[in-house]
């Protein structure tokens, strides 16, 4: 974690350099195929305009870390996530196209919508988060390289946790140990507490 | 690749793409461009919003006959009593906040030479590009004895959400305990291919709880229908399909389901083989493009041919026809399809104003159906253009329907996805 963070800052400069070079080479770079923007626009029917979902079962994808986006879509494409529909949709795109869409959503402002949550559970969740989750899901789970939890739709978060716990979705490194520990500490309320905590963010 | 290298790569590729699509507003090239949008449904609203989103210097006027939009999607849930028509009705103030001029009037003519739209209210609007998304009209001569007046008063089609949806709902509520509902389903192509079967399901959902002895018969002009296997799986699980006691009967065309005539006074339908009598009859007539498409000479046969790259009419330059009225096979006539086509047309119009060639188009369709309690199913597709044949083709390996015999938990999730989809598509159209 620590190492990666340092690397990122150092390499921002390199990124910008690369960008400038690519911008110059543009006419060649965008020869054929639909634009990243056009492909991303097609997602809005389910994920809201520019990825700020207003439907509680569909996750917000605006402001999403581009790497998390590509990883998720590749996992869907390979039927590695407990999908109902995203597996069928992800198969329509190449790796290059996924990257272009990832960039589009990463650069969109995330609009969050107030949710009804249980204040007592959210408070318990805040403590659990601090102890077991904050190390990877930094700043209360704000958009980052471990996904977007803060303000994410609660029904979607519940689905995700159900899938992890039932073994239908692969745990990211270390996550299973942390979730098991949180459940050991707080029992059946651990997951609802965490979900209510994330849902309490505005 | 290490994480870091990959990240750099993603960023760089994305930036190139983003730069490729950002242009200068057309304003810098001259006077403000005007787009007139005909029809404030899915296609029209989405096109208007995305035109302003892509280039806020464009002056967009949207002309719609009705004061508010009532969506057909989810209107089958009005028939089961799960929602009200009011919950499907939305005003146009959201679009006005994007700087779109929304006017209530009916367009009666489009002059492609003068580039002008004329309304029933006697107004004329000049345009640089015109978007037409009027939805469907009905072929009233298809079933003898069935016309617009009969539909409004006695035997609703309820295929445009509104008063007829409520009429049908009240007829179902008022029918006797062991009542018989007949749904007459049309031949392809028509608006919302899975719709008649979702309708039968939603009526069965209501009857299961309130009139358990009732029967629903679908008389079909086809021998197969959309998501058929999944519907049958749901009907079997929820409504005893396949048993003597099945609540739902489906009669294919080959089985005598094609209907030729209606006697409204006795609620009797004449089929090729036998007659059918019902307590409630819902006839979904065969369809064609909305009236303005005929008045403006945009049709070839029943529907409007378009260039699939841009959705510009093949008959008149400068007019873009979207949604149900367009001939866009293999895309279905669905809200998701109209929403997706509208963004392609908006981008093409903006590119044209800027003197650029338009990008290759990309489309998606997703259609959820709620078969009953905790039982949702879907069909999805990602499409691309086949420029050689001017057709829209589904990308091989992608799309398809929900898996057969999926877990109860996935079926249940698809119900909640259907409802969330509804919120997001309305948001993307007009909020
Ligand atoms: C029962 C049912 C269920 C459905 N469920 C789904 C679903 O789950 N998912 C899905 O994707 N699709 C669904 N659909 C299909 C969806 O409703 C249509 O495909 C979609 O509305 C098409 O959009 P459109 O812009 O072509 O037309 P519409 O949305 O019908 O809009 C046309 C608008 O144009 C206006 N208009 C027409 N002529 C004029 C004129 N001359 N001047 C001014 N205004 C005019 C009309 O008043 C109307 O508001 C369903 C349809 C039905 C009937």
């Amino acid at each position: 974690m620590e190492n990666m963070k340092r690397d990122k800052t150092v390499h921002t400069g390199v990124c910008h350099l690369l960008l400038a070079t690519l911008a110059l080479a543009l006419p060649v770079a965008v020869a054929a195929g639909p634009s990243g923007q056009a492909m991303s626009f097609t997602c809005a029917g389910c994920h809201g305009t520019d990825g700020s979902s207003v439907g509680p079962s569909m996750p917000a994808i605006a402001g999403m870390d581009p790497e998390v986006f590509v990883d998720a879509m590749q996992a869907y494409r390979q039927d590695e996530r407990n999908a109902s529909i995203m597996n069928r949709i992800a198969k329509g795109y190449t790796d290059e196209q996924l990257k272009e869409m990832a960039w589009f959503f990463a650069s969109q402002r995330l609009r969050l919508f107030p949710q009804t949550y249980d204040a007592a559970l959210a408070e318990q969740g805040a403590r659990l988060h601090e102890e077991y989750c904050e190390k990877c899901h930094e700043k209360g789970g704000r958009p980052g390289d471990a996904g977007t939890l803060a303000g994410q739709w609660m029904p979607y978060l519940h689905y995700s946790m159900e899938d992890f716990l039932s073994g239908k979705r692969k745990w990211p490194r270390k996550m299973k140990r942390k979730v098991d520990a949180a459940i050991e500490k707080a029992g059946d309320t651990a997951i609802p507490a965490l979900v209510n905590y994330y849902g309490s963010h505005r | 690749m290490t994480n870091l290298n990959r990240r750099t790569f993603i960023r760089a590729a994305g930036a190139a793409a983003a730069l490729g699509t950002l242009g200068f507003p057309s304003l810098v090239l001259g006077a403000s461009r005007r787009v007139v949008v005909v029809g404030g449904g899915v296609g029209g609203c989405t096109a208007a919003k995305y035109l302003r989103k892509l280039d806020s210097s464009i002056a967009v006027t949207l002309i719609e006959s009705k004061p508010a939009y009532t969506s057909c999607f989810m209107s089958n849930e009005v028939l089961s009593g799960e929602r009200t028509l009011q919950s499907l009705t939305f005003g146009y103030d959201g679009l006005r906040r994007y700087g779109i001029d929304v006017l209530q009037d009916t367009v009666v003519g489009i002059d492609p030479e003068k580039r002008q739209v004329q309304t029933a209210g006697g107004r004329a609007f000049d345009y640089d590009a015109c978007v037409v998304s009027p939805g469907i009209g009905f072929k009233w001569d298809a079933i003898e004895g069935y016309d617009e007046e009969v539909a409004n008063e006695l035997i609703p089609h309820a295929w445009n959400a509104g008063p007829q949806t409520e009429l049908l709902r009240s007829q179902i509520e008022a029918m006797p305990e062991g009542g018989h509902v007949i749904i007459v389903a049309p031949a392809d192509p028509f608006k919302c291919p899975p719709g008649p079967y979702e309708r039968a399901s939603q009526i069965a959902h209501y009857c299961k709880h309130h009139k358990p002895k009732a029967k629903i018969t679908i008389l079909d002009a086809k021998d197969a229908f959309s998501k058929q296997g999944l519907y049958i799986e749901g009907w079997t699980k929820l409504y005893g399909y396949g048993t003597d006691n099945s609540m739902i009967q489906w009669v294919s065309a080959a089985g005598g389901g094609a209907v030729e005539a209606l006697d409204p006074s006795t609620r009797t339908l004449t089929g090729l083989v036998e007659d059918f009598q019902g307590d409630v009859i819902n006839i979904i007539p065969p369809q064609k493009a909305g009236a303005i498409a005929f008045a403006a000479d945009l049709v070839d046969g029943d529907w409007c041919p378009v260039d699939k790259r841009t959705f510009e009419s093949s008959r008149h330059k400068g007019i873009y026809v979207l949604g149900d009225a367009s001939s866009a096979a293999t895309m279905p006539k669905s809200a998701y399809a109209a929403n997706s086509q509208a963004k392609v047309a908006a981008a093409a119009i903006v590119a044209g104003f800027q003197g650029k060639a338009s990008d290759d188009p990309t489309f998606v369709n997703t259609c959820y159906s709620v078969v009953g309690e905790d039982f949702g199913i879907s069909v999805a597709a990602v499409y691309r253009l086949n420029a050689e044949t001017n057709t829209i083709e589904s990308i091989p390996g992608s799309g398809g329907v929900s898996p057969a015999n999926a877990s109860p938990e996935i079926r249940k999730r698809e119900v909640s996805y259907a409802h969330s989809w509804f919120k997001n598509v309305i948001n993307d159209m007009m909020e």
Side-chain angles (χ1 to χ4, degrees):
Chain A
M1 234 22 251
E2 276 304 292
N3 260 340
M4 236 176 86
K5 245 166 69 189
R6 210 164 337 112
D7 278 2
K8 258 187 242 164
T9 359
V10 171
H11 278 76
T12 325
V14 180
C15 269
H16 284 159
L17 245 170
L18 233 155
L19 272 182
T21 328
L22 261 162
L24 286 176
L26 203 61
V28 195
V30 290
S35 70
Q37 175 177 266
M39 289 183 292
S40 305
F41 279 174
T42 68
C43 310
C46 289
H47 290 277
T49 301
D50 298 336
S52 282
S53 173
V54 298
S57 299
M58 317 293 206
I61 54 176
M64 190 170 177
D65 183 273
E67 222 175 281
V68 176
F69 181 95
V70 169
D71 284 348
M73 291 294 277
Q74 286 176 338
Y76 280 128
R77 208 171 53 190
Q78 286 149 25
D79 291 311
E80 287 171 3
R81 255 172 92 155
N82 188 31
S84 65
I85 201 165
M86 280 312 299
N87 53 341
R88 291 176 258 156
I89 290 177
K91 292 186 178 88
Y93 303 98
T94 64
D95 281 340
E96 275 314 306
Q97 291 177 323
L98 293 182
K99 283 177 198 161
E100 288 177 25
M101 291 157 93
W103 172 257
F104 177 87
F105 286 111
S107 49
Q108 301 308 311
R109 193 172 64 86
L110 172 64
R111 286 164 59 222
L112 295 177
F113 301 91
Q115 305 185 60
T116 323
Y117 63 92
D118 180 315
L121 276 175
E123 205 178 295
Q124 187 190 359
R127 287 194 301 272
L128 288 170
H129 172 85
E130 197 49 45
E131 190 168 349
Y132 300 103
C133 316
E134 173 66 25
K135 206 162 166 212
C136 294
H137 297 283
E138 294 163 27
K139 298 188 199 132
R142 298 238 161 253
D145 56 14
T148 303
L149 302 184
Q152 187 56 279
W153 286 109
M154 289 159 61
Y156 168 74
L157 291 173
H158 268 298
Y159 292 157
S160 304
M161 290 314 296
E162 266 168 40
D163 289 347
F164 281 126
L165 289 164
S166 64
K168 289 179 185 139
R169 181 169 164 188
K170 224 170 81 198
W171 294 97
R173 219 160 59 85
K174 290 186 193 161
M175 183 169 157
K176 184 171 181 346
R177 255 196 292 143
K178 295 288 185 184
V179 171
D180 283 348
I183 291 175
E184 189 159 316
K185 170 135 187 194
D188 285 349
T189 59
I191 302 299
L194 284 164
V195 168
N196 276 273
Y197 167 63
Y198 300 127
S200 71
H201 286 68
R202 298 285 155 98
Chain B
M1 244 190 237
T2 67
N3 253 349
L4 187 73
N5 283 341
R6 207 162 57 119
R7 171 181 298 274
T8 313
F9 194 50
I10 290 171
R11 288 251 144 93
L19 282 168
T21 53
L22 285 176
F24 297 100
S26 59
L27 196 59
V28 302
L29 304 172
S32 167
R33 308 285 186 140
R34 294 153 306 176
V35 179
V36 176
V37 180
V38 181
V42 183
C45 289
T46 309
K49 173 173 157 176
Y50 274 77
L51 278 163
R52 295 280 304 169
K53 213 167 124 56
L54 289 169
D55 182 347
S56 59
S57 76
I58 298 173
V60 179
T61 303
L62 185 148
I63 305 173
E64 161 61 45
S65 303
K66 303 211 176 82
Y69 184 67
T70 302
S71 77
C72 286
F73 30 111
M74 296 296 154
S75 69
N76 286 327
E77 290 195 342
V78 175
L79 303 178
S80 58
E82 294 285 330
R83 40 166 102 229
T84 61
L85 204 61
Q86 195 50 41
S87 77
L88 305 177
T89 304
F90 302 87
Y92 290 101
D93 284 349
L95 287 183
R96 293 192 176 99
R97 280 193 285 277
Y98 282 88
I100 295 156
D101 202 7
V102 184
L103 306 174
Q104 193 185 344
D105 206 338
T106 296
V107 173
V108 291
I110 304 170
D111 184 334
E113 305 304 326
K114 274 170 51 191
R115 296 197 166 226
Q116 193 182 70
V117 163
Q118 291 109 22
T119 71
R123 290 183 280 187
F125 298 87
D126 294 334
Y127 66 78
D128 296 296
C130 179
V131 173
V132 180
S133 194
I136 56 153
F138 297 102
K139 291 168 137 179
W140 290 112
D141 50 1
I143 295 170
E144 201 192 311
Y146 193 50
D147 60 29
E148 205 162 355
E149 201 185 312
V150 175
N152 281 328
E153 276 154 33
L154 286 171
I155 315 282
H157 55 69
W159 215 242
N160 280 329
Q164 287 194 23
T165 313
E166 286 182 320
L167 175 61
L168 182 56
R169 163 72 181 160
S170 62
Q171 290 178 345
I172 294 163
E173 278 187 289
M175 75 176 180
E177 271 293 292
H180 184 203
V181 181
I182 300 177
I183 298 170
V184 176
D188 294 318
F190 63 100
K191 159 158 82 171
C192 195
Y197 315 94
E198 185 190 55
R199 175 164 288 180
S201 310
Q202 283 295 319
I203 296 172
H205 174 59
Y206 164 77
C207 291
K208 187 175 171 175
H209 297 286
H210 298 95
K211 298 180 200 280
K213 293 200 197 86
K215 300 276 180 221
I216 299 141
T217 304
I218 306 162
L219 299 177
D220 214 323
K222 304 177 289 301
D223 289 330
F225 60 89
S226 170
K227 306 185 215 175
Q228 186 166 347
L230 292 167
Y231 271 112
I232 287 176
E233 184 187 317
W235 292 346
T236 305
K237 181 162 186 261
L238 299 166
Y239 312 120
Y241 191 80
T243 68
D244 290 346
N245 242 339
S246 178
M247 191 171 251
I248 298 177
Q249 245 77 241
W250 175 65
V251 186
S252 66
V259 165
E260 289 185 321
L262 163 79
D263 179 350
S265 60
T266 59
R267 282 184 247 97
T268 305
L269 292 155
T270 312
L272 285 177
V273 185
E274 54 178 316
D275 289 353
F276 299 87
Q277 205 272 329
D279 298 294
V280 176
I281 297 183
N282 168 220
I283 297 181
I284 304 163
Q287 295 152 32
K288 58 185 179 183
I292 185 62
F294 287 84
D297 183 39
L298 295 169
V299 294
D300 178 10
D302 290 333
W303 308 103
C304 305
V306 292
D307 174 356
K308 304 298 191 306
R309 174 178 286 279
T310 57
F311 275 71
E312 186 169 21
S313 164
S314 317
R315 298 183 60 80
H316 294 292
K317 287 257 158 267
I319 302 178
Y320 296 74
V321 188
L322 308 177
D324 294 348
S326 69
S327 176
T330 55
M331 293 184 85
K333 298 188 185 301
S334 76
Y336 208 117
N339 173 264
S340 193
Q341 292 159 6
K343 294 167 194 173
V344 165
I349 290 169
V350 169
F353 285 169
Q354 294 169 354
K356 290 188 199 154
S358 43
D359 285 332
D360 283 349
T362 172
F363 309 93
V364 165
N365 178 56
T366 290
C367 249
Y368 287 99
S369 305
V370 181
V371 184
E373 202 170 348
D374 294 343
F375 204 103
I377 55 177
S378 62
V379 60
V382 184
Y383 303 95
R384 68 183 174 200
L385 172 74
N386 182 327
E388 259 133 65
T389 55
N390 186 33
T391 52
I392 295 173
E393 59 188 23
S394 155
I395 293 172
S398 73
V401 296
S402 312
N405 303 308
S407 67
E409 152 230 340
I410 287 287
R411 294 278 189 255
K412 188 175 172 178
R413 279 187 199 180
E414 290 218 286
V415 174
S416 77
Y417 289 143
H419 295 147
S420 283
W421 165 78
F422 176 73
K423 292 197 165 121
N424 276 317
V425 79
I426 292 287
N427 166 263
D428 195 42
M429 268 173 76
M430 57 201 306
E431 287 169 357

